[in-house]
Amino acid sequence: MNAPFPIPDDEAARRAGLPPGSRLHEARLANGLAIAAAEVPDARQQRLVGVVDVGYLDEPDDCRGLAHLLEHALFLGSTGFPRAGELAGWIGERGGRYNARTDETATDIHLHLSPGDADEGLARLVDMLARPRFDPDRIAHEVAVIDAEFHARLADPMLHRLAALGRLCREGHPARLCHAGHRDTLDDDMPRLVGRLTDFHRRHFHAGRMALVMLGPLPLEAQLDLLTRHGAALPPGDTPPPQRAWRWGPPGGVAWHTPAPRAGASSLELIWPLPEETAAHADWLAAVTARLADGRLAATLQAAIELDRLAVTLTPEGMGRALALRLAPAPDLESVQAMLSACRSAMEHALATPLPTPPAATADLDAWPRRHGVQLAAGHDLTRAAADTPVEPPRAWLAPGQCRLLWQSPATPHRWSTLVETGTAWRIQPPPSENAPLPWRAPPALNVRPLGPDTGDPAPRRPRHDERLSLWCGEPIRLADAPAASLCLGWPAPAAHQAARLAQWRRNLLPLRQAAASQGMRIHCAGDVRGDWLIATGTAERLDALVELAVACWPERASPRADDQPTGLLAQRLLTLLEASTLQVARADAMPVLGWLSGHGDSGATEAMMHRLAERLSAGPPEAAEPSPQEASDDTLQLPPQGGDHVAMLEVAGPDDSPRSRWLLRLLAQCHDAAFHHEMRQQRGLGYVAVVRYREASGFPRLGYVVQSPHTEPGALRQAIADFLTRQGEALARLTAAEMERRRRGLLAHAGRPETQAEAIAQLWQALRRQASLSPPPLPWQPLPWEAEAQALASLPAEALLSLASDLAAGRLVQRWWLHTPQ
């Protein structure tokens, strides 16, 4: 092992965007493998990621979907661990998580485990990457799974977006084709397909094209030892990296829509492709991107066309290296013209005056290892200062004439072409003619409010409490990445149309949220059965101004809009519904306005703001309550047709919202998930999505048992789920003392002490809201919620889990069925 450059470990971590106090070391082993170890002291889990520098653009054109199939095949058994689904079972027993992804130029597998399981987890990860077993029968089954996934995703706009994006690429380039894979694109001769799979793996899955990344609380030296020892088992190789040609055709535009366009769904993407050499200008590009997202463009467009979303990114999906803006809605050509004109002017402004000091991105500990691994596997040096960077930034690549346009357009009388494979409707869309620019709006101003001296007292205290408002101050915990101050505010809100109201609130907040982010501040708004709420963090002198403007943006009522509907697989949408479900959840309409100020803030200004909010709430007319499908009392809900698959989901509510109930349902999900997946998919062949997932709604725990199938009707799926719980539910919950202890350790790695200050604030705020909803509320600040949770888990006997499984199998728990039948 050799260190490629002598940058101190803490400085390398800072440059790579890790939290303060972290250490990072990179090296390349003798077999060519790139490794990176990141010690993050506050992390609970050990993240392990294996990345291969090969993706779907590298697969042969006559076997599209091969890279996707290989990703699936890696989980069907390896030389050291030959049973299909063995990794899922092993990780589930330890309370961990796993996933995999194949994108354009990279394939990765990522595991989340407790630190004590990192050694064996890394051994299993390396074995599946290096020595997969390609059993023909199992591969044939996975081809059927991929085929079912493809047909289900024909209802997902994201698949059609990628298909339309291909029309902007050069003839003959693989990016013009759909690479999701299905029966018609994969070889139908199974022995030959297995041979091609084996050859694709042999050519690309070797150490010279791979990276292993580990992030977690283990000491840096221990991580490097594990990575070096296990990484040496990966086969060396000298296959040169694929020559990836420039994908883009000449600048132009494409309009598209799905085969059955959803009313109101529209968006516009403006794309400036960038060559690989522009990676040396990452800081300058980040400054340009930050200027485009400083709130000025959002405020200008929102005033003219009621803009809902404006995202600016240097990592757009399906585009390689590019700077892209995504705006919605884009309902007609006049709106597109206004957007294009404003964005071009904003780009000129950003190139002339990029944001001098772009705000540091908040470290995402889940996403960081994969992003870092992708760059390392591709041979990019992430932490070395680029001494040979050219002085002149690549402005020419961001000129107006280099922009490509992708418009998700509503169906119109225009003549559309249709892509045979996906059914995507598309046509060439010339850029609209230039028109007079929109009058520019300044971004929302966050005025500075002078603060008094910091008392330095972090102990929680409640300076104000009555029937109208309750204000807490204090900072029970402060981690290394803590902002200067934070302010959380919550208030009772009508249950009717809450989803629409929150969507409208987020739309109203768009310019403010961007203006705040450009100054290193963050604001998050949400709602549940206890009301609506927000969390704001950042500079103490501007915090009151940010929250006051955010509260002013809150709408007391809003109407649902068609483009607010979720996308993705039906099973994923159903699981998302659990997070807002009202099953077994009592509303708390009588709660006062609740606030919590931490850090160096002005409690007097916060109290005055809360008074004004309380006056506004008392003066406004009550919103008429309308029952929603989730509030129905029926034990079966039939969803309106949203795709071509059948789906059944059993929702199970916990007995209450205590830590004990939350842990019991988490444990039961762990015990059931791998076995449920195996029985529904492998044994019964019912569907290609079969999972058990834990969710919470306002702190109330629930489970979702969901199966999505292209051919089996919901009634049969429902019966299969019920049969599983009756036959296996109790048996799988019979844990020995050793098994229970192992699962406890794994769960604490997920739900122990917070990893970031943002997580700590969110947990403390929700615990405070639960406390305030009690009648009468307890007076003192409650213990740190993760400490109370840990105590509850430590005292949980295995018999309690078995009793819960027995109650579920006997139908004694509150539950509800969600069913979907296609038209």
Side-chain angles (χ1 to χ4, degrees):
M1 181 175 72
N2 61 341
F5 47 88
I7 296 179
D9 296 335
D10 55 350
E11 174 63 14
R14 185 191 66 79
R15 293 187 183 187
L18 290 170
S22 302
R23 299 165 64 203
L24 171 65
H25 191 86
E26 298 171 3
R28 191 168 292 278
L29 305 185
N31 61 357
L33 177 71
I35 62 171
E39 178 188 345
V40 181
D42 287 326
R44 293 187 305 269
Q45 296 175 292
Q46 209 68 30
R47 279 89 166 170
L48 318 177
V49 178
V51 182
V52 189
D53 183 37
V54 64
Y56 59 73
L57 293 185
D58 304 313
E59 63 194 13
D61 288 348
D62 64 342
C63 199
R64 288 179 288 115
L66 191 65
H68 186 191
L69 178 60
L70 178 54
E71 175 206 313
H72 279 234
L74 295 175
F75 291 88
L76 299 180
S78 61
T79 300
F81 308 93
R83 288 186 299 135
E86 186 166 340
L87 180 71
W90 181 83
I91 290 178
E93 290 171 1
R94 286 149 181 81
R97 287 186 291 147
Y98 72 95
N99 211 333
R101 176 175 172 178
T102 301
D103 64 16
E104 303 170 276
T105 59
T107 300
D108 71 275
I109 299 173
H110 35 285
L111 315 180
H112 295 182
L113 297 164
S114 63
D117 293 318
D119 192 350
E120 186 174 353
L122 197 53
R124 289 174 177 268
L125 175 61
V126 166
D127 198 64
M128 68 188 298
L129 287 169
R131 294 175 289 275
R133 298 176 72 242
F134 299 131
D135 178 85
D137 291 338
R138 294 177 181 176
I139 297 300
H141 181 269
E142 290 307 309
V143 169
V145 168
I146 287 175
D147 186 72
E149 284 184 0
F150 171 76
H151 286 94
R153 291 195 183 277
L154 291 177
D156 187 353
M158 294 308 294
L159 181 139
H160 298 282
R161 171 190 171 273
L162 287 176
L165 187 62
R167 302 305 94 197
L168 293 172
C169 298
R170 294 188 297 107
E171 289 285 351
H173 194 281
R176 283 186 68 88
L177 304 173
C178 175
H179 291 265
H182 49 87
R183 289 189 190 277
D184 295 336
T185 66
L186 292 165
D187 200 321
D188 59 0
D189 183 310
M190 194 50 55
R192 190 167 56 215
L193 179 59
V194 170
R196 300 189 75 167
L197 201 61
T198 303
D199 181 65
F200 190 76
H201 177 268
R202 178 187 56 77
R203 285 190 293 113
H204 298 292
F205 278 56
H206 57 76
R209 299 276 304 282
M210 300 173 75
L212 287 180
V213 179
M214 180 181 288
L215 179 152
L218 288 177
L220 187 69
E221 295 74 16
Q223 293 191 41
L224 288 169
D225 176 68
L226 290 172
L227 290 167
T228 302
R229 178 158 46 88
H230 291 292
L234 288 165
D238 55 5
T239 305
Q243 298 299 311
R244 295 172 180 139
W246 181 254
R247 77 181 66 190
W248 298 97
V254 166
W256 66 277
H257 64 75
T258 59
R262 198 176 61 204
S266 61
S267 65
L268 177 69
E269 294 180 73
L270 305 179
I271 308 154
W272 282 267
L274 298 170
E276 285 297 322
E277 53 266 27
T278 57
H281 296 279
D283 291 344
W284 179 80
L285 288 168
V288 170
T289 302
R291 177 60 76 193
L292 289 168
D294 67 357
R296 181 173 180 258
L297 176 59
T300 300
L301 286 171
Q302 197 173 67
I305 58 176
E306 298 185 351
L307 189 72
D308 291 351
R309 292 184 291 278
L310 168 59
V312 189
T313 180
L314 289 167
T315 55
E317 185 175 354
M319 299 180 190
R321 187 177 294 279
L323 190 157
L325 285 77
R326 190 160 195 252
L327 310 96
D332 49 45
L333 193 58
E334 183 179 352
S335 298
V336 170
Q337 184 165 300
M339 289 176 175
L340 183 61
S341 177
C343 289
R344 283 175 171 171
S345 297
M347 179 64 82
E348 291 175 0
H349 175 67
L351 293 176
T353 58
L355 201 66
T357 53
T362 303
D364 184 334
L365 300 187
D366 286 344
W368 187 92
R370 181 191 183 274
R371 185 174 64 246
H372 205 73
V374 168
Q375 298 292 330
L376 285 179
H380 297 307
D381 182 350
L382 299 181
T383 53
R384 189 202 303 263
D388 56 347
T389 300
V391 175
E392 183 61 29
R395 288 184 172 84
W397 289 99
L398 300 177
Q402 294 299 318
C403 179
R404 275 75 169 171
L405 181 150
L406 188 66
W407 180 24
Q408 181 186 3
S409 168
T412 64
H414 294 285
R415 178 176 295 177
W416 296 85
S417 300
T418 302
L419 297 177
V420 174
E421 186 172 5
T422 61
T424 309
W426 73 283
R427 59 181 169 84
I428 297 297
Q429 177 62 51
S433 58
E434 288 286 346
N435 62 346
L438 298 172
W440 282 101
R441 298 291 187 99
L446 300 177
N447 299 323
V448 173
R449 175 173 290 160
L451 299 176
D454 186 0
T455 64
D457 181 13
R461 59 195 184 281
R462 186 162 54 175
R464 178 61 187 268
H465 175 68
D466 57 34
E467 68 279 357
R468 299 185 67 201
L469 61 92
S470 181
L471 173 62
W472 285 90
C473 297
E475 194 166 35
I477 182 173
R478 187 169 184 82
L479 303 182
D481 66 337
S486 67
L487 175 55
C488 304
L489 206 59
W491 54 92
H497 304 309
Q498 184 179 63
R501 184 175 66 249
L502 292 175
Q504 180 65 55
W505 191 16
R506 293 176 184 124
R507 284 191 284 268
N508 296 346
L509 280 174
L510 177 60
L512 177 63
R513 190 169 59 247
Q514 291 193 345
S518 70
Q519 300 180 49
M521 306 185 74
R522 302 285 184 271
I523 188 158
H524 172 69
C525 61
D528 53 36
V529 295
R530 294 189 175 98
D532 294 353
W533 52 271
L534 62 82
I535 298 176
T537 61
T539 309
E541 292 83 359
R542 289 186 169 91
L543 195 63
D544 288 336
L546 174 59
V547 173
E548 195 140 17
L549 288 172
V551 171
C553 290
W554 179 70
E556 297 183 25
R557 57 176 58 84
S559 300
R561 292 168 55 149
D563 55 347
D564 290 334
Q565 300 303 313
T567 60
L569 289 177
L570 273 165
Q572 296 168 334
R573 296 183 224 171
L574 278 172
L575 289 170
T576 300
L577 290 177
L578 297 186
E579 298 170 10
S581 171
T582 58
L583 185 67
Q584 191 79 346
V585 180
R587 290 197 58 86
D589 295 311
M591 286 178 60
V593 176
L594 179 65
W596 171 37
L597 177 67
S598 66
H600 185 198
D602 187 338
S603 61
T606 299
E607 186 176 330
M609 185 194 319
M610 294 172 66
H611 268 295
R612 290 192 292 273
L613 176 59
E615 290 291 338
R616 174 184 171 185
L617 294 172
S618 62
E623 186 172 353
E626 296 182 14
S628 69
Q630 296 175 41
E631 294 171 337
S633 59
D634 297 342
D635 62 359
T636 302
L637 294 180
Q638 184 73 45
L639 297 174
Q642 301 174 45
D645 278 5
H646 306 270
V647 185
M649 181 176 74
L650 174 63
E651 175 187 4
V652 181
D656 50 44
D657 65 343
S658 66
R660 176 187 175 89
S661 288
R662 289 194 287 274
W663 284 127
L664 283 172
L665 264 70
R666 282 180 183 270
L667 280 166
L668 197 59
Q670 283 186 14
C671 292
H672 284 177
D673 183 43
F676 183 76
H677 175 88
H678 181 74
E679 177 172 327
M680 299 296 153
R681 274 189 55 175
Q682 266 72 37
Q683 292 184 348
R684 295 183 179 232
L686 291 179
Y688 58 97
V689 177
V691 295
V692 183
R693 291 292 183 265
Y694 174 86
R695 294 291 188 267
E696 288 185 11
S698 304
F700 286 77
R702 59 204 59 245
L703 295 182
Y705 293 76
V706 59
V707 182
Q708 179 167 342
S709 171
H711 50 76
T712 306
E713 294 187 354
L717 298 178
R718 175 174 177 165
Q719 188 60 49
I721 295 172
D723 289 347
F724 170 84
L725 293 173
T726 302
R727 292 186 302 99
Q728 293 200 59
E730 292 184 52
L732 292 167
R734 296 181 188 276
L735 302 182
T736 65
E739 289 171 334
M740 187 71 172
E741 184 56 34
R742 186 171 62 236
R743 290 181 184 272
R744 279 199 186 100
R745 288 198 305 269
L747 283 173
L748 283 176
H750 279 287
R753 190 176 188 269
E755 296 182 306
T756 64
Q757 189 71 20
E759 184 185 357
I761 291 171
Q763 288 193 35
L764 287 163
W765 173 236
Q766 297 307 330
L768 193 61
R769 294 180 70 234
R770 281 196 295 269
Q771 173 187 336
S773 68
L774 300 177
S775 182
L779 290 180
W781 182 282
Q782 296 300 290
L784 297 178
W786 47 88
E787 293 181 357
E789 298 273 344
Q791 293 171 5
L793 181 59
S795 62
L796 196 64
E799 293 76 13
L801 179 64
L802 182 59
S803 177
L804 182 75
S806 175
D807 287 344
L808 175 56
R812 290 189 288 269
L813 297 180
V814 176
Q815 60 185 39
R816 177 164 58 194
W817 289 94
W818 301 72
L819 305 177
H820 176 267
T821 303
Q823 286 180 328

